[in-house]
Amino acid sequence: MIPIRSRAHLLSLRAPFAAICLAIAVAPALAAADDEVNLYSARKEALIKPLLDRFTEDTGITVNLVTGKADALLQRLKNEGPNSPADILLTVDAGNLHRAKAGGLTQSFSSEIVDAAVPATYRDPDGHWTGLSLRARPIMYVKGKVEPSQLSTYEALADPQWQGRICIRSSSNVYNQSLVASIIAADGTEAAQAWAEAIVANMARPPKGGDRDQIKAAAAGQCDIAIANTYYLAGMLKSDDPGEKEPAEKVAVFWPNQPGAGDGRGTHVNVSGAALTAAASNKDAAVKLIEFLVSPESQAWYAEVNGEYPVREGVEISPVLAEWGTFEADDLDLIELGELNGAALMLMDRAGWK
């Protein structure tokens, strides 16, 4: 059994995380029928299609899939309005899920199966979306250049000892926006502003590239610390490409804000999630698909193939992340990450975080 715990629930971790956004795909108009469901997904087809095929085998419900980047899918839903054929939006980060809800692109749904499987912390309180998988965003450090004893909290990265030693991606990245939102929630706006300014001062280079690029830059000696989602590192470690695997082997994971460090609130986590669209015409079939995606079978598949932690407790996952040990996750309700997104963006802009 793999307990997924927030402050009161310790994460027992054993699975890699992977990157999953594609450019918006061109797809034919999707039909509406009782035995169909139309899915807009920010996951690569290879990372979701096998699950959808299994769902169809089990239920006889056909899933029509459109893949694309998260922002492109949100814009597509806005453009299509009430005429959108989409029944489900599957995207990454609570910030994106909140934007979809705030933009009137989703509607609430009720499912005892989802409520029983997914902790309330990882669900929208109004029932507009549910988490499907967890991703953590810890500190990664270069072995031999940084000792774990030098690390403690996200806040401590503001210390001058890290000047010119941190790699992190841009403020336009929703993962960083949510991280900053979590700092605001924990420490208040004034302290978060000072923290962001100090992080900018401690950057080894102007932000560029994705999470994998931060890890590679650290491994190449451009910095000693990288902030990245663990599923990127896990995917690199599993890669057959030496250009991916070798840099990943040079870094280690440190879980910040654990008990005894700072307020001990836990390491920042986020979700990939599914929402029922406001225009959904196949609502019953859509809810069945969401329920299938939080089933033990689907959760185990996510963990093994996508390299993310199951949002559901008791799911067996691969040993890649087990090597990083257990950690306590921040128990902040993820809805707050979305609600504080705007404040986080303005704060980062004031700090000069490019």
Side-chain angles (χ1 to χ4, degrees):
M1 179 176 180
I2 307 295
I4 295 194
R5 301 178 179 174
S6 27
R7 189 161 305 178
H9 294 283
L10 195 63
L11 276 171
S12 180
L13 304 175
R14 296 196 292 133
F17 280 80
I20 54 169
C21 287
L22 261 185
I24 189 70
V26 177
L30 302 179
D34 292 340
D35 59 352
E36 291 187 339
V37 59
N38 301 322
L39 172 64
Y40 283 7
S41 171
R43 289 197 177 277
K44 293 181 180 179
E45 183 172 341
L47 298 180
I48 190 66
K49 188 65 162 59
L51 276 181
L52 304 181
D53 290 344
R54 181 57 183 267
F55 172 74
T56 298
E57 291 175 10
D58 290 350
T59 65
I61 298 172
T62 298
V63 182
N64 301 309
L65 175 66
V66 171
T67 58
K69 289 186 176 180
D71 289 345
L73 291 176
L74 287 176
Q75 188 60 51
R76 179 167 178 161
L77 283 172
K78 289 178 183 177
N79 292 343
E80 292 171 342
N83 296 318
S84 176
D87 299 304
I88 298 174
L89 171 67
L90 197 159
T91 190
V92 294
D93 201 279
N96 286 329
L97 291 162
H98 176 77
R99 279 199 285 270
K101 176 185 175 183
L105 304 178
T106 63
Q107 63 174 294
S108 64
F109 67 93
S110 177
S111 169
E112 293 181 1
I113 292 174
V114 171
D115 291 350
V118 182
T121 303
Y122 307 132
R123 289 185 276 115
D124 175 60
D126 298 322
H128 280 243
W129 55 262
T130 181
L132 298 178
S133 60
L134 285 176
R135 58 267 307 279
R137 195 165 184 77
I139 297 169
M140 298 180 189
Y141 63 93
V142 179
K143 301 172 185 176
K145 288 190 175 181
V146 177
E147 294 298 323
S149 59
Q150 297 176 270
L151 301 168
S152 58
T153 64
Y154 294 109
E155 287 84 349
L157 293 179
D159 192 277
Q161 72 168 311
W162 302 114
Q163 186 172 6
R165 302 177 70 186
I166 296 175
C167 285
I168 188 167
R169 63 198 292 182
S170 76
S171 61
S172 64
N173 172 245
V174 72
Y175 304 151
N176 280 341
Q177 294 165 15
S178 289
L179 174 61
V180 173
S182 75
I183 300 288
I184 295 173
D187 302 330
T189 301
E190 185 176 344
Q193 182 71 57
W195 177 82
E197 291 171 359
I199 292 297
V200 171
N202 287 347
M203 289 180 184
R205 61 178 190 173
K208 61 179 179 179
D211 278 14
R212 290 174 185 252
D213 296 303
Q214 314 314 311
I215 296 168
K216 291 177 181 178
Q222 297 179 40
C223 51
D224 299 332
I225 294 288
I227 306 298
N229 287 353
T230 45
Y231 64 87
Y232 289 108
L233 180 62
M236 293 170 72
L237 288 169
K238 290 178 66 178
S239 176
D240 294 328
D241 180 358
E244 295 280 316
K245 187 169 185 176
E246 290 176 5
E249 291 175 338
K250 293 182 179 181
V251 304
V253 172
F254 181 85
W255 304 113
N257 296 82
Q258 295 301 285
D263 62 6
R265 67 180 180 276
T267 297
H268 172 64
V269 296
N270 213 313
V271 292
S272 71
L276 187 69
T277 68
S281 56
N282 302 306
K283 185 173 180 179
D284 290 344
V287 172
K288 287 180 181 178
L289 176 54
I290 294 172
E291 291 172 344
F292 175 79
L293 293 175
V294 300
S295 69
E297 175 187 1
S298 296
Q299 291 284 295
W301 193 90
Y302 267 129
E304 180 63 32
V305 178
N306 294 356
E308 294 172 289
Y309 301 117
V311 75
R312 180 179 186 132
E313 293 186 17
V315 176
E316 187 69 18
I317 51 182
S318 76
V320 177
L321 270 65
E323 297 179 6
W324 300 334
T326 60
F327 71 91
E328 190 167 328
D330 192 344
D331 66 358
L332 179 71
D333 282 345
L334 295 192
I335 186 68
E336 292 195 46
L337 300 181
E339 292 173 345
L340 291 170
N341 180 267
L345 272 170
M346 290 188 290
L347 185 155
M348 296 168 86
D349 184 60
R350 290 193 299 268
W353 192 324
K354 301 300 182 182

